[in-house]
Amino acid sequence: MLRFAPSPTGDMHIGNLRVAIFNYIVSKQKNENLIVRIEDTDKERNIEGKDQEILQILGLFGIEYSQVIYQSQNLRFHSAMALQLLHDKKAFSCFCSPEWLDKKREEAKTDKKAYRYDGACENLPDELVIDNMNPFTIRIKQPSEAITVKDHIKGEVAFNPAEVDSFIIMRQDKTPTYNFACAVDDMLSDISLVIRGEDHMSNTPKQDHIRSSLRYDKKIEYAHLPIILNDDGKKMSKRDDASSVKWLLEEGFLPSAITNYLILMGNKPPKEIFTMAEAIEWFNLDNISKAPARFNLDMLKHINREHLKMLDAKELSRYVGFADAEIGEVARIYLEEVRTTKELKAKIEPIFAPKIIPAEFEEQAKIMAVTIKNAPYFEEYEDFKNHIMKESGLKGKNFFKPLRLLLTGAEHGPDVAEVYKYLKNYIGEIVK
Ligand code: GLU
């Protein structure tokens, strides 16, 4: 079983989408199910409706999953596991107040040392614990030996016991901490491989330690994906528009193209343009580069155009608001100039909109519009052109400029003869 575990705390970041895509591909390759676990235990950061938005995005990208689990529904299991650890003396109650712990943290900072729990409550006699009316947290005892994490991308990384520390697994309000909930849930769902962002690397030994303290000996495999950098070489953050999946979709990037690019980044694929189904054939986590991947919007635009070219004419027309193969063919001509569906729409819409004619050609355009409206249907552009030229008496620039403006709604663009081929049945709607 694999899992994608988003937090419903904001717009989906492309880094998260990349994690979801990789999980999906590997689940297909391993023929194992993929579950979605909504990590909703941080009540203050949760944003209403984000869970549904995430699921919609997964649907749009063709990422199928067998089940959706809400982490908050597992709270009783988290408490039960904490109790088991206390019972086995693998965990202890800690009465240190938050203020006291903050003070200790400050001291460590002043001494330029990494903060570690000082073990004050680890060996309290049971009588002191039972009689203590103060609020308490539950801490897991730090491991006695180093923990080595084997990662498909990072290789082997060892963490010494002090780095893992005796950390809190249940807060004073009896809610589990993030690492505890995550470790227990991965165990309950029988996860075999965790693919996630490298910002979670330091959590991994803690989560492994929780499970081995619970005597769960299945070894979960890991793959921590390197971060994504923006064009300036900085970590892509909310300030970068392109980091938001929603923004990319609104800008007119196809899900298939975004998927292609997120798989291509920092990878060694056999070709540049491919579909998710093709990637399932050859994708290998071990080929993902250890170095951060750099996001390049221009590259994504290039890939997007290639994916737009792969659509059949009718499908393409849908992206510009029609359901008509001929309009799709016109759109295909404009693909020479543009790379997103938003840009494509901006080319096709003016064709059917009332025309804005520069003053210089206003008179000629009026004459030409009347001529076109009175003209019969012509199969060939040459015949159409000759007829309009003859009937309107217009020549040269005075003929070609207004003709282009009336037929395409723009002063510049592709060969009018090419466009006419697909628009000839719509002349009545275009020149009104
Ligand atoms: N909820 C975490 C996040 O969105 C992911 C945790 C995990 O994959 O283990 O970053």
Side-chain angles (χ1 to χ4, degrees), residues 298-337:
D298 234 32
M299 184 65 183
L300 176 58
K301 283 187 179 171
H302 157 70
I303 293 173
N304 202 50
R305 173 189 278 158
E306 296 307 312
H307 278 259
L308 283 167
K309 282 189 195 161
M310 290 188 320
L311 298 177
D312 74 33
K314 197 155 179 179
E315 273 178 307
L316 184 57
S317 79
R318 288 211 180 89
Y319 284 99
V320 289
F322 293 82
D324 182 306
E326 287 181 315
I327 305 293
E329 292 299 347
V330 178
R332 202 185 293 290
I333 296 172
Y334 279 97
L335 273 183
E336 295 301 318
E337 295 176 27

Side-chain angles (χ1 to χ4, degrees), residues 160-378:
N160 63 43
E163 277 175 277
V164 178
D165 207 1
S166 295
F167 60 95
I168 298 177
I169 55 171
M170 293 293 269
R171 301 187 189 92
Q172 288 185 343
D173 64 3
K174 311 278 182 281
T175 59
T177 55
Y178 165 71
N179 275 320
F180 191 56
C182 185
V184 170
D185 290 352
D186 283 340
M187 180 177 97
L188 294 177
S189 297
D190 189 23
I191 299 301
S192 56
L193 166 63
V194 168
I195 304 174
R196 61 182 172 193
E198 74 175 2
D199 44 333
H200 289 287
M201 187 69 191
S202 60
N203 290 328
T204 304
K206 295 187 193 253
Q207 295 175 7
D208 266 356
H209 178 52
I210 290 166
R211 282 186 297 261
S212 44
S213 303
L214 285 164
R215 282 173 276 162
Y216 183 76
D217 33 341
K218 174 168 176 164
K219 262 289 174 210
I220 297 184
E221 287 178 50
Y222 284 96
H224 287 91
L225 305 184
I227 54 167
I228 302 178
L229 303 178
N230 63 17
D231 260 347
D232 302 331
K234 301 217 174 74
K235 184 175 174 178
M236 250 186 140
S237 71
K238 283 200 184 105
R239 262 168 286 137
D240 299 291
D241 286 334
S243 71
S244 155
V245 177
K246 216 158 108 186
W247 184 86
L248 290 173
L249 294 170
E250 281 163 8
E251 281 304 296
F253 291 96
L254 298 180
S256 65
I258 300 172
T259 301
N260 184 153
Y261 186 45
L262 292 177
I263 298 171
L264 179 76
M265 280 171 103
N267 196 355
K268 296 185 209 132
K271 54 182 181 167
E272 186 182 75
I273 306 296
F274 47 81
T275 62
M276 177 109 85
E278 288 174 301
I280 293 171
E281 303 286 316
W282 46 253
F283 183 83
N284 186 348
L285 266 180
D286 299 313
N287 282 342
I288 303 296
S289 163
K290 278 196 189 66
R294 217 179 172 116
F295 186 90
N296 183 304
L297 196 60
D298 234 32
M299 184 65 183
L300 176 58
K301 283 187 179 171
H302 157 70
I303 293 173
N304 202 50
R305 173 189 278 158
E306 296 307 312
H307 278 259
L308 283 167
K309 282 189 195 161
M310 290 188 320
L311 298 177
D312 74 33
K314 197 155 179 179
E315 273 178 307
L316 184 57
S317 79
R318 288 211 180 89
Y319 284 99
V320 289
F322 293 82
D324 182 306
E326 287 181 315
I327 305 293
E329 292 299 347
V330 178
R332 202 185 293 290
I333 296 172
Y334 279 97
L335 273 183
E336 295 301 318
E337 295 176 27
V338 304
R339 298 183 290 180
T340 66
T341 59
K342 188 176 169 183
E343 292 167 349
L344 203 52
K345 234 177 161 168
K347 294 287 181 189
I348 303 296
E349 273 172 0
I351 299 178
F352 292 92
K355 306 295 179 320
I356 302 153
I357 311 285
E360 193 190 343
F361 297 109
E362 219 168 319
E363 205 44 45
Q364 298 88 317
K366 257 187 208 149
I367 299 170
M368 186 177 282
V370 174
T371 320
I372 293 177
K373 272 188 267 187
N374 292 329
Y377 170 79
F378 288 100

